Amino acid sequence: MLAQLGDPFTRFLTPEAYATMSSSTTGSVSGVGLEMTFKDDSGEGESSGSGLKAGEGVLTVVAPVAGGPAAEAGIESGDVVTSIGGQSTAGLSLYEIAQRLQGAPGSKVSVGVIKDGTSAPVELDVERRVITLEPVRSALCGPEVTTDKGERVGYIGLSTFNSKSADAFESALKGLKEEGAHAFIVDLRNNSGGLFPAAVQIADELMPGGVVVYISDSVGVKDVYEAEDSGMPTAEKPQDPVVVLVNRGTASASEVLAGALKDNHRALILGEGTFGKGLIQSLVPLADGSAVAVTVARYQTPSLRDINKVGIMPDGPEPPELDFVVADGPSKVCAALEGAPATAPRIFDGAPRMFEPAEGDEFDELDFTL
């Protein structure tokens, strides 16, 4: 019956599949640490080596969990997953795939992947272990790491948006300010998303007002999420500069946050174009413990830019000094900046210091196509 809707992301979840999804946003899970999605391959005009025809979609890694088993095995954002445990992934749902990847800590599973620019899959053995989803890591970089105005730099890495993320981010930001930080790097690289409300709350921490995101459905704008007015004179008071790092593993709720900060001129976005995962689903629990996931709307940035299949385009490239410390934590990032003191002044040079709320078009001009 659901197939008649013509939406591959609207699906029935068995009780086991629903439990699997719920566990990913509440704390920890035993598996390999991968976020995946089916990505439309029609733009390539060929199969991309996955065994699927163009347009069917390929099972693509959005991002590996930082420091997790999959990342350690060499699985990266953009890899196409062709098999799990020697069995093809063709025809499987995301939740069937998740069940195959999860298992007892210490057990191993083979994952077949096709790397970007190659055509033949390689088999990688990945050891399952308990993945604790601690969403925020932070550090005040050394005194030699400053902007050109002499401001100390604090680093906050956000690996996921779960039930702990907003409070942890607020605590980290407050702590860094108390330590003397007045410029901030927010690292969203390989953050594949999670709970949407957490992204809105974090945007609210960084923005003194303005639209965070529009939720649009088939008839236009359904909801508008705004940052709470902090009471500060946004057009007059300089803001602490913020630089946000993104890559192609930055997806969904991460793109909501990056888009809000970019469109409202609250942060400078550096890195790669993001993943482009902008559809919104509603989970409807059923009496027997199962659920139905239904696509109901999509995200649009404060400037009414579509996220789905497009992503957020950065303002500039990632600093080469930070390219090799994507998943190594705040100490390694700060060490890289401390070893290259000219980097921080360079990357913060273009960071906005005056908040300018975005101006979108009229709501009734929105186009909506799922």
Side-chain angles (χ1 to χ4, degrees):
M1 181 174 68
L2 294 178
Q4 297 177 8
L5 298 176
D7 172 23
F9 297 103
T10 291
R11 55 205 178 276
F12 172 77
L13 307 179
T14 65
E16 295 79 10
Y18 183 41
T20 295
M21 182 175 188
S22 298
S23 69
S24 69
T25 61
T26 56
S28 64
V29 65
S30 178
V32 301
L34 277 179
E35 168 76 11
M36 293 179 288
T37 191
F38 289 106
K39 191 170 185 180
D40 186 6
D41 195 37
S42 59
E44 298 296 326
E46 55 187 1
S47 166
S48 295
S50 64
L52 297 176
K53 296 178 181 179
E56 281 188 325
V58 292
L59 181 62
T60 305
V61 174
V62 178
V65 172
E72 292 176 356
I75 298 177
E76 303 172 297
S77 299
D79 287 353
V80 173
V81 179
T82 58
S83 64
I84 298 170
Q87 297 184 348
S88 172
T89 56
L92 298 180
S93 71
L94 287 175
Y95 300 98
E96 290 171 321
I97 290 161
Q99 288 177 318
R100 283 164 170 74
L101 288 172
Q102 293 177 9
S107 63
K108 292 187 177 181
V109 61
S110 64
V111 181
V113 300
I114 296 175
K115 296 286 185 180
D116 189 28
T118 67
S119 58
V122 294
E123 293 287 331
L124 300 173
D125 287 330
V126 186
E127 181 176 328
R128 299 181 179 99
R129 62 174 184 255
V130 175
I131 309 296
T132 301
L133 303 175
E134 292 299 334
V136 174
R137 295 186 291 175
S138 63
L140 178 68
C141 295
E144 65 271 38
V145 181
T146 66
T147 69
D148 59 359
K149 297 182 181 297
E151 298 150 317
R152 292 284 299 273
V153 175
Y155 169 89
I156 303 177
L158 250 172
S159 61
T160 190
F161 292 92
N162 63 19
S163 57
K164 304 176 183 178
S165 297
D167 288 343
F169 185 90
E170 180 183 2
S171 178
L173 186 64
K174 180 180 178 181
L176 289 171
K177 288 182 176 181
E178 289 175 349
E179 291 182 70
H182 289 285
F184 300 93
I185 295 173
V186 177
D187 196 343
L188 297 178
R189 293 175 297 176
N190 286 354
N191 183 328
S192 58
L195 298 179
F196 165 73
V200 176
Q201 288 177 270
I202 291 171
D204 190 49
E205 285 294 320
L206 294 170
M207 292 167 48
V211 173
V212 174
V213 67
Y214 292 111
I215 304 296
S216 61
D217 60 15
S218 58
V219 295
V221 169
K222 179 181 180 182
D223 288 306
V224 181
Y225 288 82
E226 297 180 274
E228 292 185 12
D229 187 348
S230 65
M232 68 176 63
T234 59
E236 302 170 15
K237 183 177 179 179
Q239 310 290 301
D240 290 336
V242 176
V243 167
V244 176
L245 302 178
V246 299
N247 64 7
R248 60 182 179 174
T250 303
S252 193
S254 290
E255 293 173 296
V256 168
L257 177 57
L261 299 177
K262 176 183 171 70
D263 283 4
N264 287 293
H265 302 281
R266 181 63 187 93
L268 184 71
I269 313 298
L270 299 180
E272 303 174 293
T274 63
F275 191 85
K277 187 179 179 185
L279 296 182
I280 304 163
Q281 293 200 302
S282 176
L283 278 173
V284 183
L286 303 178
D288 63 352
S290 62
V292 177
V294 183
T295 300
V296 294
R298 66 177 181 180
Y299 299 125
Q300 288 189 314
T301 71
S303 294
L304 296 177
R305 302 176 195 275
D306 200 4
I307 292 176
N308 198 49
K309 298 184 182 181
V310 178
I312 305 298
M313 295 308 297
D315 299 306
E318 176 184 76
E321 295 86 353
L322 301 183
D323 181 55
F324 65 97
V325 286
V326 174
D328 293 326
S331 61
K332 291 289 184 66
V333 172
C334 284
L337 293 172
E338 290 157 9
T343 302
R346 186 176 75 247
I347 64 175
F348 279 98
D349 180 55
R353 291 179 176 271
M354 303 300 291
F355 181 75
E356 299 177 28
E359 295 182 5
D361 297 326
E362 293 298 322
F363 294 167
D364 60 3
E365 293 181 1
L366 290 176
D367 173 45
F368 179 79
T369 306
L370 284 176

